[in-house]
Short mmCIF file of all heavy atoms in Angstrom, two decimals:
data_model
loop_
_atom_site.label_atom_id
_atom_site.label_comp_id
_atom_site.label_asym_id
_atom_site.label_seq_id
_atom_site.Cartn_x
_atom_site.Cartn_y
_atom_site.Cartn_z
N MET A 277 90.67 201.15 153.17
CA MET A 277 91.96 200.82 153.76
C MET A 277 91.74 200.15 155.13
O MET A 277 90.94 200.62 155.92
CB MET A 277 92.79 202.09 153.93
CG MET A 277 94.19 201.78 154.36
SD MET A 277 95.14 203.18 155.02
CE MET A 277 94.25 204.61 154.57
N ILE A 278 92.44 199.06 155.34
CA ILE A 278 92.34 198.34 156.61
C ILE A 278 93.68 198.46 157.33
O ILE A 278 94.72 198.18 156.74
CB ILE A 278 91.99 196.86 156.39
CG1 ILE A 278 90.71 196.72 155.56
CG2 ILE A 278 91.84 196.13 157.72
CD1 ILE A 278 90.47 195.33 155.03
N LYS A 279 93.64 198.90 158.57
CA LYS A 279 94.86 198.99 159.36
C LYS A 279 94.70 198.17 160.63
O LYS A 279 93.63 198.16 161.24
CB LYS A 279 95.13 200.45 159.76
CG LYS A 279 95.82 201.26 158.69
CD LYS A 279 96.17 202.63 159.22
CE LYS A 279 96.96 203.44 158.20
NZ LYS A 279 97.20 204.81 158.66
N CYS A 280 95.79 197.50 161.01
CA CYS A 280 95.80 196.78 162.27
C CYS A 280 95.77 197.80 163.40
O CYS A 280 96.60 198.71 163.44
CB CYS A 280 97.05 195.92 162.36
SG CYS A 280 97.30 195.19 163.99
N ASN A 281 94.81 197.66 164.31
CA ASN A 281 94.70 198.63 165.40
C ASN A 281 95.88 198.56 166.36
O ASN A 281 96.20 199.55 167.02
CB ASN A 281 93.41 198.39 166.18
CG ASN A 281 92.20 198.96 165.48
OD1 ASN A 281 91.70 198.36 164.53
ND2 ASN A 281 91.75 200.10 165.89
N LYS A 282 96.53 197.39 166.47
CA LYS A 282 97.60 197.26 167.46
C LYS A 282 98.92 197.82 166.93
O LYS A 282 99.52 198.67 167.58
CB LYS A 282 97.78 195.79 167.87
CG LYS A 282 98.80 195.61 168.97
CD LYS A 282 98.62 194.26 169.65
CE LYS A 282 99.55 194.13 170.86
NZ LYS A 282 100.93 193.84 170.45
N CYS A 283 99.36 197.39 165.75
CA CYS A 283 100.67 197.83 165.25
C CYS A 283 100.56 198.98 164.25
O CYS A 283 101.56 199.58 163.90
CB CYS A 283 101.45 196.65 164.66
SG CYS A 283 100.75 196.01 163.13
N GLY A 284 99.34 199.27 163.79
CA GLY A 284 99.13 200.39 162.89
C GLY A 284 99.49 200.09 161.44
O GLY A 284 99.38 200.96 160.58
N ARG A 285 99.91 198.85 161.19
CA ARG A 285 100.32 198.48 159.83
C ARG A 285 99.10 198.42 158.90
O ARG A 285 98.04 197.93 159.27
CB ARG A 285 101.03 197.13 159.85
CG ARG A 285 101.70 196.75 158.54
CD ARG A 285 102.57 195.52 158.73
NE ARG A 285 101.81 194.34 159.13
CZ ARG A 285 101.12 193.57 158.28
NH1 ARG A 285 101.11 193.86 157.00
NH2 ARG A 285 100.46 192.52 158.70
N GLU A 286 99.30 198.93 157.70
CA GLU A 286 98.26 198.88 156.70
C GLU A 286 98.25 197.49 156.06
O GLU A 286 99.28 197.01 155.59
CB GLU A 286 98.52 199.96 155.66
CG GLU A 286 97.34 200.25 154.78
CD GLU A 286 97.62 201.40 153.82
OE1 GLU A 286 98.28 202.37 154.26
OE2 GLU A 286 97.21 201.29 152.65
N LEU A 287 97.08 196.85 156.06
CA LEU A 287 97.01 195.52 155.47
C LEU A 287 96.89 195.64 153.96
O LEU A 287 96.31 196.61 153.45
CB LEU A 287 95.81 194.74 156.02
CG LEU A 287 95.77 194.60 157.54
CD1 LEU A 287 94.62 193.69 157.96
CD2 LEU A 287 97.07 194.05 158.09
N SER A 288 97.43 194.68 153.27
CA SER A 288 97.46 194.75 151.82
C SER A 288 96.09 194.42 151.23
O SER A 288 95.51 193.37 151.51
CB SER A 288 98.57 193.80 151.35
OG SER A 288 98.16 193.03 150.28
N VAL A 289 95.57 195.37 150.48
CA VAL A 289 94.25 195.22 149.86
C VAL A 289 94.40 195.53 148.37
O VAL A 289 94.97 196.54 147.99
CB VAL A 289 93.23 196.20 150.49
CG1 VAL A 289 91.89 196.12 149.77
CG2 VAL A 289 93.05 195.90 151.97
N VAL A 290 93.92 194.62 147.53
CA VAL A 290 93.97 194.84 146.09
C VAL A 290 92.54 194.78 145.56
O VAL A 290 91.83 193.80 145.78
CB VAL A 290 94.85 193.78 145.38
CG1 VAL A 290 94.85 194.01 143.88
CG2 VAL A 290 96.27 193.82 145.92
N ASN A 291 92.11 195.85 144.89
CA ASN A 291 90.74 195.95 144.37
C ASN A 291 89.71 195.64 145.46
O ASN A 291 88.77 194.87 145.25
CB ASN A 291 90.53 195.00 143.18
CG ASN A 291 91.42 195.36 142.01
OD1 ASN A 291 91.71 196.54 141.79
ND2 ASN A 291 91.87 194.37 141.28
N ASP A 292 89.91 196.26 146.63
CA ASP A 292 89.00 196.12 147.77
C ASP A 292 88.98 194.71 148.37
O ASP A 292 88.15 194.41 149.23
CB ASP A 292 87.55 196.50 147.39
CG ASP A 292 87.43 197.98 147.07
OD1 ASP A 292 88.21 198.77 147.65
OD2 ASP A 292 86.57 198.34 146.25
N ILE A 293 89.87 193.83 147.90
CA ILE A 293 89.91 192.48 148.45
C ILE A 293 91.17 192.34 149.30
O ILE A 293 92.28 192.52 148.78
CB ILE A 293 89.89 191.42 147.34
CG1 ILE A 293 88.60 191.54 146.53
CG2 ILE A 293 90.02 190.00 147.93
CD1 ILE A 293 88.66 190.84 145.19
N PRO A 294 91.02 192.05 150.60
CA PRO A 294 92.21 191.89 151.45
C PRO A 294 93.06 190.73 150.96
O PRO A 294 92.55 189.65 150.66
CB PRO A 294 91.62 191.57 152.84
CG PRO A 294 90.21 192.03 152.78
CD PRO A 294 89.77 191.88 151.36
N ARG A 295 94.38 190.98 150.88
CA ARG A 295 95.31 189.95 150.41
C ARG A 295 95.99 189.24 151.57
O ARG A 295 96.90 188.45 151.37
CB ARG A 295 96.38 190.56 149.51
CG ARG A 295 95.82 191.05 148.21
CD ARG A 295 95.33 189.90 147.36
NE ARG A 295 94.49 190.38 146.26
CZ ARG A 295 94.01 189.61 145.31
NH1 ARG A 295 94.27 188.33 145.30
NH2 ARG A 295 93.27 190.12 144.37
N GLU A 296 95.58 189.59 152.76
CA GLU A 296 96.04 188.82 153.92
C GLU A 296 94.87 188.75 154.89
O GLU A 296 93.99 189.60 154.89
CB GLU A 296 97.27 189.45 154.57
CG GLU A 296 97.10 190.88 155.02
CD GLU A 296 98.38 191.46 155.61
OE1 GLU A 296 98.79 190.98 156.66
OE2 GLU A 296 98.96 192.38 154.99
N ASP A 297 94.88 187.70 155.68
CA ASP A 297 93.76 187.50 156.59
C ASP A 297 94.02 188.27 157.88
O ASP A 297 95.16 188.58 158.23
CB ASP A 297 93.60 186.00 156.87
CG ASP A 297 92.14 185.65 157.10
OD1 ASP A 297 91.30 186.57 157.19
OD2 ASP A 297 91.83 184.44 157.19
N PHE A 298 92.97 188.59 158.58
CA PHE A 298 93.10 189.36 159.82
C PHE A 298 91.92 189.02 160.72
O PHE A 298 90.94 188.43 160.29
CB PHE A 298 93.14 190.87 159.51
CG PHE A 298 91.97 191.35 158.68
CD1 PHE A 298 90.81 191.76 159.29
CD2 PHE A 298 92.05 191.36 157.30
CE1 PHE A 298 89.73 192.20 158.54
CE2 PHE A 298 90.98 191.79 156.53
CZ PHE A 298 89.82 192.22 157.16
N LEU A 299 92.07 189.41 161.97
CA LEU A 299 91.00 189.22 162.95
C LEU A 299 90.19 190.51 163.05
O LEU A 299 90.77 191.59 163.19
CB LEU A 299 91.61 188.88 164.32
CG LEU A 299 90.63 188.75 165.48
CD1 LEU A 299 89.84 187.45 165.39
CD2 LEU A 299 91.36 188.82 166.81
N GLN A 300 88.89 190.39 162.92
CA GLN A 300 88.04 191.56 163.05
C GLN A 300 87.06 191.35 164.19
O GLN A 300 86.35 190.35 164.23
CB GLN A 300 87.27 191.79 161.75
CG GLN A 300 86.48 193.08 161.76
CD GLN A 300 86.11 193.54 160.36
OE1 GLN A 300 85.84 192.72 159.48
NE2 GLN A 300 86.11 194.82 160.14
N ILE A 301 87.08 192.28 165.13
CA ILE A 301 86.18 192.19 166.27
C ILE A 301 85.14 193.30 166.15
O ILE A 301 85.48 194.44 165.87
CB ILE A 301 86.96 192.37 167.61
CG1 ILE A 301 88.04 191.30 167.77
CG2 ILE A 301 86.00 192.37 168.80
CD1 ILE A 301 87.52 189.92 168.09
N ASN A 302 83.90 192.92 166.32
CA ASN A 302 82.80 193.88 166.31
C ASN A 302 81.93 193.53 167.50
O ASN A 302 81.19 192.56 167.47
CB ASN A 302 82.04 193.74 164.99
CG ASN A 302 81.15 194.93 164.73
OD1 ASN A 302 80.84 195.70 165.64
ND2 ASN A 302 80.74 195.10 163.49
N LYS A 303 82.08 194.30 168.56
CA LYS A 303 81.42 193.94 169.81
C LYS A 303 80.48 195.04 170.28
O LYS A 303 80.88 196.19 170.46
CB LYS A 303 82.51 193.68 170.88
CG LYS A 303 82.00 193.57 172.29
CD LYS A 303 81.08 192.38 172.50
CE LYS A 303 80.59 192.34 173.94
NZ LYS A 303 79.47 191.37 174.09
N SER A 304 79.24 194.66 170.44
CA SER A 304 78.25 195.58 170.96
C SER A 304 78.07 195.27 172.45
O SER A 304 77.55 194.21 172.81
CB SER A 304 76.95 195.36 170.18
OG SER A 304 75.99 196.28 170.58
N TRP A 305 78.53 196.19 173.29
CA TRP A 305 78.49 195.94 174.73
C TRP A 305 77.07 196.11 175.26
O TRP A 305 76.35 197.02 174.86
CB TRP A 305 79.43 196.89 175.47
CG TRP A 305 80.87 196.59 175.19
CD1 TRP A 305 81.66 197.19 174.26
CD2 TRP A 305 81.68 195.59 175.82
NE1 TRP A 305 82.92 196.62 174.28
CE2 TRP A 305 82.94 195.65 175.23
CE3 TRP A 305 81.44 194.66 176.84
CZ2 TRP A 305 83.99 194.81 175.62
CZ3 TRP A 305 82.47 193.83 177.23
CH2 TRP A 305 83.73 193.90 176.61
N GLY A 306 76.70 195.25 176.17
CA GLY A 306 75.34 195.22 176.66
C GLY A 306 75.18 195.78 178.07
O GLY A 306 76.11 196.33 178.67
N TYR A 307 74.00 195.58 178.58
CA TYR A 307 73.57 196.18 179.84
C TYR A 307 74.49 195.83 181.01
O TYR A 307 74.74 196.67 181.88
CB TYR A 307 72.14 195.70 180.14
CG TYR A 307 71.59 196.29 181.42
CD1 TYR A 307 71.17 197.63 181.46
CD2 TYR A 307 71.48 195.52 182.56
CE1 TYR A 307 70.67 198.17 182.63
CE2 TYR A 307 70.97 196.06 183.74
CZ TYR A 307 70.57 197.38 183.77
OH TYR A 307 70.09 197.91 184.93
N PHE A 308 75.00 194.61 181.06
CA PHE A 308 75.78 194.18 182.23
C PHE A 308 77.25 194.57 182.12
O PHE A 308 78.09 194.09 182.87
CB PHE A 308 75.64 192.67 182.45
CG PHE A 308 74.23 192.31 182.84
CD1 PHE A 308 73.38 191.69 181.93
CD2 PHE A 308 73.75 192.61 184.10
CE1 PHE A 308 72.09 191.37 182.28
CE2 PHE A 308 72.45 192.29 184.46
CZ PHE A 308 71.61 191.67 183.55
N SER A 309 77.60 195.40 181.18
CA SER A 309 78.96 195.90 181.08
C SER A 309 78.97 197.37 181.51
O SER A 309 77.92 197.99 181.69
CB SER A 309 79.46 195.80 179.64
OG SER A 309 78.83 196.79 178.84
N LYS A 310 80.17 197.91 181.64
CA LYS A 310 80.29 199.34 181.95
C LYS A 310 80.27 200.17 180.67
O LYS A 310 80.44 201.38 180.71
CB LYS A 310 81.60 199.60 182.71
CG LYS A 310 81.66 198.93 184.07
CD LYS A 310 82.92 199.34 184.82
CE LYS A 310 82.97 198.74 186.22
NZ LYS A 310 83.31 197.29 186.21
N LYS A 311 80.12 199.47 179.54
CA LYS A 311 80.13 200.15 178.25
C LYS A 311 78.81 199.97 177.52
O LYS A 311 78.76 199.93 176.29
CB LYS A 311 81.29 199.60 177.38
CG LYS A 311 82.66 199.81 178.00
CD LYS A 311 83.75 199.23 177.15
CE LYS A 311 84.15 197.82 177.54
NZ LYS A 311 84.62 197.70 178.91
N ASP A 312 77.73 199.89 178.29
CA ASP A 312 76.41 199.64 177.72
C ASP A 312 76.11 200.61 176.58
O ASP A 312 76.27 201.82 176.73
CB ASP A 312 75.35 199.77 178.82
CG ASP A 312 73.97 199.36 178.34
OD1 ASP A 312 73.89 198.62 177.33
OD2 ASP A 312 72.99 199.76 178.96
N GLY A 313 75.70 200.07 175.45
CA GLY A 313 75.33 200.91 174.31
C GLY A 313 76.50 201.27 173.42
O GLY A 313 76.31 201.88 172.37
N LYS A 314 77.73 200.90 173.82
CA LYS A 314 78.90 201.22 172.99
C LYS A 314 79.23 200.04 172.08
O LYS A 314 79.10 198.88 172.46
CB LYS A 314 80.11 201.50 173.89
CG LYS A 314 79.97 202.74 174.75
CD LYS A 314 80.72 203.91 174.14
CE LYS A 314 80.77 205.11 175.07
NZ LYS A 314 79.44 205.76 175.21
N ASN A 315 79.65 200.39 170.88
CA ASN A 315 80.03 199.37 169.92
C ASN A 315 81.54 199.48 169.67
O ASN A 315 82.02 200.53 169.29
CB ASN A 315 79.26 199.59 168.61
CG ASN A 315 79.22 198.34 167.77
OD1 ASN A 315 79.05 197.25 168.29
ND2 ASN A 315 79.39 198.48 166.48
N TYR A 316 82.26 198.40 169.95
CA TYR A 316 83.72 198.39 169.76
C TYR A 316 84.04 197.63 168.48
O TYR A 316 83.56 196.51 168.27
CB TYR A 316 84.42 197.67 170.93
CG TYR A 316 84.72 198.52 172.13
CD1 TYR A 316 83.88 199.56 172.51
CD2 TYR A 316 85.84 198.26 172.91
CE1 TYR A 316 84.16 200.31 173.64
CE2 TYR A 316 86.13 199.01 174.04
CZ TYR A 316 85.29 200.05 174.41
OH TYR A 316 85.56 200.77 175.52
N LYS A 317 84.88 198.23 167.65
CA LYS A 317 85.29 197.60 166.40
C LYS A 317 86.79 197.74 166.28
O LYS A 317 87.32 198.84 166.41
CB LYS A 317 84.66 198.34 165.21
CG LYS A 317 83.56 197.59 164.51
CD LYS A 317 82.86 198.50 163.57
CE LYS A 317 83.15 198.11 162.13
NZ LYS A 317 82.28 198.87 161.19
N PHE A 318 87.49 196.64 166.07
CA PHE A 318 88.91 196.76 165.78
C PHE A 318 89.40 195.57 164.99
O PHE A 318 88.73 194.54 164.88
CB PHE A 318 89.74 196.97 167.05
CG PHE A 318 89.70 195.84 168.06
CD1 PHE A 318 90.60 194.78 167.96
CD2 PHE A 318 88.80 195.85 169.10
CE1 PHE A 318 90.58 193.75 168.88
CE2 PHE A 318 88.76 194.82 170.03
CZ PHE A 318 89.66 193.77 169.93
N VAL A 319 90.59 195.77 164.41
CA VAL A 319 91.20 194.78 163.54
C VAL A 319 92.59 194.45 164.08
O VAL A 319 93.30 195.35 164.55
CB VAL A 319 91.30 195.36 162.10
CG1 VAL A 319 92.27 194.57 161.25
CG2 VAL A 319 89.93 195.39 161.44
N LEU A 320 92.95 193.20 164.06
CA LEU A 320 94.32 192.78 164.39
C LEU A 320 94.87 191.99 163.22
O LEU A 320 94.20 191.10 162.70
CB LEU A 320 94.34 191.88 165.64
CG LEU A 320 94.03 192.52 167.00
CD1 LEU A 320 94.10 191.47 168.09
CD2 LEU A 320 94.95 193.68 167.30
N CYS A 321 96.10 192.33 162.80
CA CYS A 321 96.74 191.54 161.76
C CYS A 321 97.09 190.17 162.35
O CYS A 321 97.03 189.97 163.57
CB CYS A 321 97.97 192.26 161.21
SG CYS A 321 99.37 192.35 162.34
N GLU A 322 97.48 189.25 161.49
CA GLU A 322 97.71 187.88 161.96
C GLU A 322 98.81 187.83 163.02
O GLU A 322 98.68 187.11 164.01
CB GLU A 322 98.07 186.97 160.77
CG GLU A 322 98.12 185.51 161.16
CD GLU A 322 98.33 184.60 159.96
OE1 GLU A 322 98.55 185.09 158.84
OE2 GLU A 322 98.29 183.37 160.18
N LYS A 323 99.88 188.61 162.83
CA LYS A 323 100.98 188.58 163.80
C LYS A 323 100.52 189.11 165.16
O LYS A 323 100.81 188.53 166.20
CB LYS A 323 102.16 189.41 163.28
CG LYS A 323 103.34 189.32 164.22
CD LYS A 323 104.44 190.33 163.94
CE LYS A 323 105.55 190.21 164.96
NZ LYS A 323 105.08 190.43 166.34
N CYS A 324 99.80 190.24 165.15
CA CYS A 324 99.32 190.81 166.41
C CYS A 324 98.32 189.88 167.08
O CYS A 324 98.27 189.79 168.31
CB CYS A 324 98.72 192.19 166.18
SG CYS A 324 99.96 193.41 165.75
N CYS A 325 97.52 189.19 166.27
CA CYS A 325 96.58 188.21 166.82
C CYS A 325 97.35 187.08 167.49
O CYS A 325 97.01 186.67 168.61
CB CYS A 325 95.69 187.67 165.70
SG CYS A 325 94.53 186.44 166.28
N ASP A 326 98.42 186.60 166.82
CA ASP A 326 99.25 185.54 167.41
C ASP A 326 99.86 186.00 168.73
O ASP A 326 99.88 185.26 169.72
CB ASP A 326 100.37 185.13 166.44
CG ASP A 326 99.82 184.32 165.27
OD1 ASP A 326 98.66 183.87 165.34
OD2 ASP A 326 100.56 184.15 164.29
N ASP A 327 100.40 187.25 168.74
CA ASP A 327 100.97 187.80 169.97
C ASP A 327 99.92 187.86 171.08
O ASP A 327 100.19 187.55 172.24
CB ASP A 327 101.52 189.22 169.73
CG ASP A 327 102.74 189.21 168.83
OD1 ASP A 327 103.28 188.11 168.56
OD2 ASP A 327 103.16 190.30 168.39
N PHE A 328 98.73 188.29 170.70
CA PHE A 328 97.63 188.45 171.65
C PHE A 328 97.25 187.10 172.26
O PHE A 328 97.23 186.94 173.49
CB PHE A 328 96.44 189.08 170.92
CG PHE A 328 95.19 189.23 171.74
CD1 PHE A 328 95.24 189.70 173.05
CD2 PHE A 328 93.96 188.93 171.19
CE1 PHE A 328 94.07 189.86 173.79
CE2 PHE A 328 92.80 189.07 171.93
CZ PHE A 328 92.85 189.54 173.23
N VAL A 329 96.99 186.10 171.42
CA VAL A 329 96.51 184.82 171.95
C VAL A 329 97.62 184.09 172.72
O VAL A 329 97.33 183.26 173.58
CB VAL A 329 95.91 183.90 170.86
CG1 VAL A 329 94.73 184.58 170.17
CG2 VAL A 329 96.93 183.44 169.86
N SER A 330 98.90 184.44 172.43
CA SER A 330 99.99 183.78 173.16
C SER A 330 100.02 184.23 174.61
O SER A 330 100.69 183.62 175.44
CB SER A 330 101.33 184.07 172.48
OG SER A 330 101.73 185.40 172.73
N THR A 331 99.29 185.30 174.96
CA THR A 331 99.22 185.75 176.35
C THR A 331 98.07 185.07 177.11
O THR A 331 97.92 185.28 178.30
CB THR A 331 99.01 187.29 176.43
OG1 THR A 331 97.71 187.61 175.93
CG2 THR A 331 100.06 188.04 175.64
N PHE A 332 97.28 184.29 176.40
CA PHE A 332 96.12 183.65 177.04
C PHE A 332 96.55 182.59 178.05
O PHE A 332 97.50 181.82 177.80
CB PHE A 332 95.23 182.96 175.98
CG PHE A 332 94.42 183.89 175.12
CD1 PHE A 332 94.57 185.27 175.19
CD2 PHE A 332 93.52 183.37 174.21
CE1 PHE A 332 93.83 186.11 174.38
CE2 PHE A 332 92.76 184.20 173.40
CZ PHE A 332 92.92 185.58 173.48
N GLU A 333 95.86 182.53 179.16
CA GLU A 333 96.07 181.48 180.15
C GLU A 333 95.60 180.13 179.59
O GLU A 333 96.24 179.10 179.77
CB GLU A 333 95.28 181.83 181.42
CG GLU A 333 95.59 180.97 182.62
CD GLU A 333 97.00 181.22 183.17
OE1 GLU A 333 97.47 182.38 183.14
OE2 GLU A 333 97.60 180.24 183.62
N ILE A 334 94.48 180.16 178.90
CA ILE A 334 93.92 178.95 178.27
C ILE A 334 94.09 179.11 176.77
O ILE A 334 93.59 180.09 176.19
CB ILE A 334 92.42 178.79 178.63
CG1 ILE A 334 92.27 178.64 180.15
CG2 ILE A 334 91.80 177.61 177.89
CD1 ILE A 334 90.86 178.80 180.65
N PRO A 335 94.80 178.18 176.14
CA PRO A 335 95.08 178.34 174.71
C PRO A 335 93.81 178.35 173.87
O PRO A 335 92.77 177.80 174.26
CB PRO A 335 95.93 177.13 174.36
CG PRO A 335 96.30 176.49 175.64
CD PRO A 335 95.35 176.96 176.69
N VAL A 336 93.91 178.96 172.71
CA VAL A 336 92.81 178.99 171.75
C VAL A 336 92.50 177.57 171.28
O VAL A 336 93.40 176.76 171.10
CB VAL A 336 93.23 179.85 170.53
CG1 VAL A 336 92.18 179.85 169.44
CG2 VAL A 336 93.54 181.27 170.97
N ASP A 337 91.23 177.28 171.10
CA ASP A 337 90.83 176.02 170.46
C ASP A 337 91.15 176.13 168.98
O ASP A 337 90.67 177.05 168.32
CB ASP A 337 89.32 175.79 170.62
CG ASP A 337 88.99 175.12 171.93
OD1 ASP A 337 89.85 174.37 172.44
OD2 ASP A 337 87.88 175.35 172.44
N VAL A 338 91.96 175.23 168.48
CA VAL A 338 92.29 175.25 167.05
C VAL A 338 91.76 173.97 166.43
O VAL A 338 92.07 172.88 166.89
CB VAL A 338 93.81 175.35 166.83
CG1 VAL A 338 94.13 175.32 165.34
CG2 VAL A 338 94.37 176.61 167.46
N GLU A 339 90.94 174.15 165.41
CA GLU A 339 90.38 172.99 164.70
C GLU A 339 90.64 173.16 163.22
O GLU A 339 90.68 174.27 162.71
CB GLU A 339 88.86 172.88 164.94
CG GLU A 339 88.51 172.48 166.36
CD GLU A 339 86.99 172.50 166.59
OE1 GLU A 339 86.25 172.92 165.70
OE2 GLU A 339 86.59 172.11 167.70
N ASP A 340 90.80 172.06 162.55
CA ASP A 340 90.90 172.12 161.09
C ASP A 340 89.53 172.42 160.51
O ASP A 340 88.53 171.85 160.93
CB ASP A 340 91.39 170.78 160.53
CG ASP A 340 92.86 170.56 160.84
OD1 ASP A 340 93.63 171.54 160.81
OD2 ASP A 340 93.25 169.43 161.13
N ASN A 341 89.51 173.34 159.57
CA ASN A 341 88.27 173.65 158.87
C ASN A 341 88.09 172.63 157.75
O ASN A 341 88.68 172.74 156.69
CB ASN A 341 88.33 175.08 158.33
CG ASN A 341 86.97 175.53 157.82
OD1 ASN A 341 86.06 174.73 157.64
ND2 ASN A 341 86.84 176.81 157.59
N ILE A 342 87.24 171.63 158.02
CA ILE A 342 87.13 170.48 157.12
C ILE A 342 86.63 170.89 155.74
O ILE A 342 87.02 170.32 154.73
CB ILE A 342 86.22 169.40 157.77
CG1 ILE A 342 86.96 168.79 158.95
CG2 ILE A 342 85.84 168.32 156.77
CD1 ILE A 342 86.07 168.13 159.99
N GLU A 343 85.80 171.94 155.70
CA GLU A 343 85.25 172.38 154.41
C GLU A 343 86.34 172.80 153.43
O GLU A 343 86.13 172.79 152.23
CB GLU A 343 84.29 173.55 154.61
CG GLU A 343 82.95 173.12 155.20
CD GLU A 343 82.11 174.31 155.64
OE1 GLU A 343 81.98 175.26 154.86
OE2 GLU A 343 81.63 174.27 156.76
N LEU A 344 87.49 173.22 153.96
CA LEU A 344 88.57 173.69 153.08
C LEU A 344 89.42 172.55 152.54
O LEU A 344 90.20 172.74 151.62
CB LEU A 344 89.47 174.69 153.82
CG LEU A 344 88.85 176.06 154.10
CD1 LEU A 344 89.83 176.93 154.87
CD2 LEU A 344 88.46 176.77 152.81
N LEU A 345 89.28 171.37 153.13
CA LEU A 345 90.13 170.25 152.71
C LEU A 345 89.66 169.64 151.39
O LEU A 345 88.52 169.75 151.03
CB LEU A 345 90.17 169.16 153.80
CG LEU A 345 90.80 169.61 155.12
CD1 LEU A 345 90.70 168.49 156.16
CD2 LEU A 345 92.25 170.01 154.95
ZN1 ZN B 434 99.33 194.20 163.71
#
């Protein structure tokens, strides 16, 4: 089961295959952080990701994925 960490909504998964796309962060903090040795993992659904990036001072780089065309 995959849940969005921000809104808590359960993402739709059928036969272990996610039926909607989401952002997955897996960050291993290093020596120069205050979280050295800690591994952070979280998931954001597409809406929460959109809400998150809309708060950015510098917009996300968006490029067309040519391989999909
Ligand atoms: Zn969400």
Side-chain angles (χ1 to χ4, degrees):
M277 188 196 345
I278 305 167
K279 278 186 176 175
C280 171
N281 281 78
K282 185 161 186 282
C283 68
R285 190 170 62 81
E286 195 176 321
L287 304 186
S288 135
V289 175
V290 178
N291 297 327
D292 293 331
I293 299 163
R295 292 294 165 174
E296 57 182 294
D297 212 352
F298 54 88
L299 176 74
Q300 186 161 35
I301 300 287
N302 196 342
K303 168 64 181 168
S304 184
W305 291 96
Y307 181 75
F308 294 105
S309 74
K310 296 186 177 75
K311 299 178 266 301
D312 187 21
K314 294 260 189 289
N315 201 40
Y316 274 34
K317 252 169 110 170
F318 62 88
V319 163
L320 290 180
C321 70
E322 188 174 6
K323 184 193 177 301
C324 290
C325 179
D326 287 346
D327 291 350
F328 177 43
V329 300
S330 74
T331 67
F332 287 6
E333 191 69 36
I334 299 166
V336 176
D337 275 331
V338 178
E339 290 175 355
D340 288 323
N341 191 346
I342 290 158
E343 285 169 48
L344 288 179
L345 296 176

